[in-house]
């Protein structure tokens, strides 16, 4: 097969790179979208461009708008990721490499931080470092840096484990006697202010939780107490669906407080309303970076599962980053962010050739269970759920300009109600789905709400709206639409299907631009 369009030639590409016709078609769509072969520009009816070029958010009948996703990632885009000075250099010898790296981390942990919370960078020179266990970072201000793919950390031997584990300690704790009710009967998606019964106990700069309680009526109206029964299935229970959104107060006017980030799930009086309280998280660490290296796992076969599982995991960490990292042959992920990870940027990373069975609980190339996190410019091959969120994930979160090839399953919210995720310019030869997953797992049910697909490309997509409490959007999605796993669910909000020229081409970048110009 040979195709020539506007002087671009494709010589027997499908055969040469060993992909099927469906994937080849998707890659062609990707090429033309990126090469500027868009037709006439068009705007979403939900977010328009005003005459001055700024965004205009169009509310629905309840006041809900597509949220502002701009303040996610490292310091909410208010700071650039720093180029931290090297204070320790290590060379690979093949003897006790893991211990040498750990000793350097432990010694650096004893040194004071500078005014920006930084201790320094540990540089791993080019070479192969054998890592039979895990490298642990549990202190703020430490950067582990390689010299690109020539710095290779090899997870040697048997057993599932994480190669680089970054984690603080403790847990988020409510400050006593600070809890106040939200007085409004309905707070719409996208709102950046809350009316309280009494705001006198708060001040600008306070870290707060916006708390939305689990509610039996809400679960019943979602029909998540009616999932088709099977052995091991767990119907949703109200006490398991409390959601705690971390926010900062930016202004106060009477009993109205203003927030740094928007509400991404409506607060509804009929479902228990909401509350606000102050919190602390003393053990959470910050200003940690993992940069510019290749992590590789030994394995015994393509379906071997007793080897390196996560290349990098972050837990109880905020305002930190992972950049320029490639993983190869791990069973679960390149990057795995836990639910206590906040304001993490993951950029320019690759997940390649995972080794495991191709079944549930494997190959989540870039997994996010935290909030206010950003994944950008990443690549995954042979994964199952390449850009994915887990249960009860509190947004906003963003996946921007990421690619998936040879996908074994779908991209999107995976199970049990993720809230407020933007998938912006995601390209895959597999599926993107936002749907009721029913009895999959132990009862996945509704995967997510207020999920936004913006200018994405996939082979196939199902986008459904939950019965209550929000919508899901497919705007400018280039894909074959299908009904989804379970029939009869409400259709999601589709606009401009298979239509090029969406303006702005990236909602995330446009929102970031406007936020910086305010």
């Amino acid at each position: 097969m040979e195709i020539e369009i506007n002087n671009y030639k494709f010589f027997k590409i499908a055969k040469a790179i060993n992909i099927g016709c469906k994937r080849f078609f998707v890659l062609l769509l990707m090429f033309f979208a990126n090469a500027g072969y868009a037709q006439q520009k068009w705007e979403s009816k939900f977010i328009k461009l005003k005459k001055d070029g700024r965004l205009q958010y169009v509310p629905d009948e309840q006041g809900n708008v597509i949220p502002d996703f701009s303040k996610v990632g490292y310091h909410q885009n208010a700071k650039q990721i720093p180029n931290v000075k090297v204070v320790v250099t290590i060379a690979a010898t093949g003897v006790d490499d893991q211990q040498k790296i750990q000793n350097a981390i432990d010694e650096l942990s004893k040194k004071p931080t500078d005014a920006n919370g930084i201790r320094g960078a540990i540089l791993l020179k080019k070479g192969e470092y054998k890592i039979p266990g895990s490298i642990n970072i549990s202190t703020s201000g430490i950067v582990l840096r390689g010299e690109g793919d020539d710095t290779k950390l090899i997870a040697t031997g048997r057993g599932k484990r994480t190669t680089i584990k970054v984690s603080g300690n403790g847990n988020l704790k409510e400050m006593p006697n600070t809890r106040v009710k939200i007085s409004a009967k309905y707070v719409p998606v996208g709102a950046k202010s809350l009316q309280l019964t009494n705001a006198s106990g708060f001040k600008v700069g306070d870290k707060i939780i916006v708390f939305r309680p689990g509610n039996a009526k809400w679960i019943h109206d979602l029909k998540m107490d009616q999932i088709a029964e099977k052995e091991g299935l767990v119907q949703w229970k109200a006490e398991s669906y409390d959601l705690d959104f971390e926010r900062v107060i930016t202004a106060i006017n009477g009993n109205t407080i203003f927030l740094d980030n928007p509400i991404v799930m409506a607060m509804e009086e009929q479902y228990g309303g909401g509350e606000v309280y102050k919190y602390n998280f003393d053990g959470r660490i910050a200003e940690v970076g993992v940069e510019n290296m290749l992590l590789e796992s030994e394995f015994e076969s393509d379906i071997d599962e007793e080897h390196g599982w996560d290349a990098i995991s972050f837990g109880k960490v905020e305002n930190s980053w992972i950049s320029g990292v490639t993983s190869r042959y791990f069973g679960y992920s390149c990057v795995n962010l836990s639910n206590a990870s906040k304001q993490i940027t993951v950029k320019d990373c690759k997940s390649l050739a995972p080794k495991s069975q191709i079944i549930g609980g494997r190959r989540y190339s870039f997994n996010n269970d935290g909030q206010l996190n950003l994944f950008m410019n990443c690549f995954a091959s042979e994964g199952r759920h390449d850009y994915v969120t887990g249960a009860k994930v509190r947004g906003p979160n963003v996946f921007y300009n990421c690619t998936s090839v040879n996908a074994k399953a779908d991209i999107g919210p995976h199970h049990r109600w993720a809230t407020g995720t933007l998938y912006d310019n995601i390209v895959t030869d597999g599926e993107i789905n936002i749907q009721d997953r029913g009895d999959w797992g132990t009862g996945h049910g509704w995967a997510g709400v207020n999920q936004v697909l913006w200018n994405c490309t996939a082979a196939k997509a199902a986008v459904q709206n939950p019965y209550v409490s929000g919508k899901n959007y497919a705007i400018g999605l280039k894909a074959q639409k299908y009904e989804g796993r379970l029939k009869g669910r409400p259709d999601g909000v589709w606009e401009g299907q298979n239509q090029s020229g969406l303006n702005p081409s990236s909602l995330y970048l446009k929102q970031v631009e406007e936020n910086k110009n305010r």
Side-chain angles (χ1 to χ4, degrees), residues 49-70:
L49 289 170
K50 296 187 284 190
K51 290 183 179 180
D52 63 2
R54 297 181 64 82
L55 295 173
Q56 177 184 356
Y57 297 83
V58 181
D60 66 12
E61 63 280 358
Q62 293 179 293
N64 300 295
V65 297
I66 290 177
D68 176 5
F69 292 95
S70 65

Side-chain angles (χ1 to χ4, degrees), residues 219 221-228 233 235-236 410 413-417 433-440 443-449 462-467 472 482-492:
I219 288 174
D221 290 351
L222 271 180
K223 303 184 181 181
M224 291 294 95
D225 57 355
Q226 305 160 50
I227 304 171
L233 186 130
Q235 302 287 350
W236 291 19
D410 59 353
H414 188 51
H415 65 138
R416 297 178 179 87
W417 206 253
N433 293 319
I434 308 167
Q435 63 178 330
D436 180 359
R437 295 172 61 85
D439 66 351
W440 276 345
H444 285 179
W446 282 106
V449 69
V463 179
Q464 301 171 343
N465 279 341
Y467 297 111
N472 292 310
Y482 79 108
E483 191 172 5
R485 184 200 177 206
L486 300 174
K487 312 306 179 188
R489 272 48 178 177
D491 199 14

Side-chain angles (χ1 to χ4, degrees), residues 481-505:
K481 180 180 179 180
Y482 79 108
E483 191 172 5
R485 184 200 177 206
L486 300 174
K487 312 306 179 188
R489 272 48 178 177
D491 199 14
V493 180
W494 290 75
E495 184 184 28
Q497 182 189 359
N498 293 324
Q499 184 176 344
S500 297
L502 177 58
N503 189 25
S505 60

Side-chain angles (χ1 to χ4, degrees), residues 252-266:
I252 301 176
N253 184 2
N255 286 327
T256 300
I257 62 171
F258 295 82
L259 309 175
D260 61 330
N261 263 289
I263 298 299
V264 293
M265 181 180 172

